[in-house]
Amino acid sequence: VRMMLEIEETTLASARLLLLARLTLVYGFNLVLALIGSIILAVFDTDISLLPLIATWLAPMTFLSGLAFFLSIVLNDTLAASIFSLFLWIVHNIPRDENSNFVWYLLSLPGLSDPSNRPFLMFTAALLILVALWIVGIKERNLGHIA
């Protein structure tokens, strides 16, 4: 961690640009892996169509990535933000029956996989990322005034 902070402090790039580059790299890596997995599934299972398969995971993945990015900026703890986002995905994918507890039902985020919510999830992810970058800019300016 110390070496990463030293690299960040010596570079001419702003904290916003560095965070955006990190987000792009991590999201891009996950996107490529998910696309490869989807292609493999579509090739080996004739009942699965590639584009509908991609549509089922792309919006939730983007939303949860944006949420994790936002929480990592707000909480200053990337591990907690990642664990929270992963927890939401795991709870969402646990099978539940019709008679389950209402709180458990809400925690499972039933709208995360609803096709009608995909545009909303993509918009919310973009909004979370923009707000997180805005917060970083504010923190960076405040640090500049302190120094």
Side-chain angles (χ1 to χ4, degrees), residues 27 53-67 85 89 92-93 109 111-115 117-118 121-122 125:
Y27 184 81
L53 177 62
I54 291 171
T56 59
W57 57 257
L58 184 60
M61 181 181 107
T62 304
F63 169 74
L64 291 173
S65 296
L67 179 65
S85 188
W89 183 246
H92 174 71
N93 284 302
L109 299 172
L112 199 59
S113 58
D114 187 1
N117 288 338
R118 289 178 188 153
L121 290 172
M122 296 296 269

Side-chain angles (χ1 to χ4, degrees), residues 36-55:
I36 290 171
S38 295
I39 291 169
I40 290 171
L41 281 174
V43 166
F44 288 111
D45 190 348
T46 56
D47 295 335
I48 297 176
S49 298
L50 182 61
L51 291 180
L53 177 62
I54 291 171

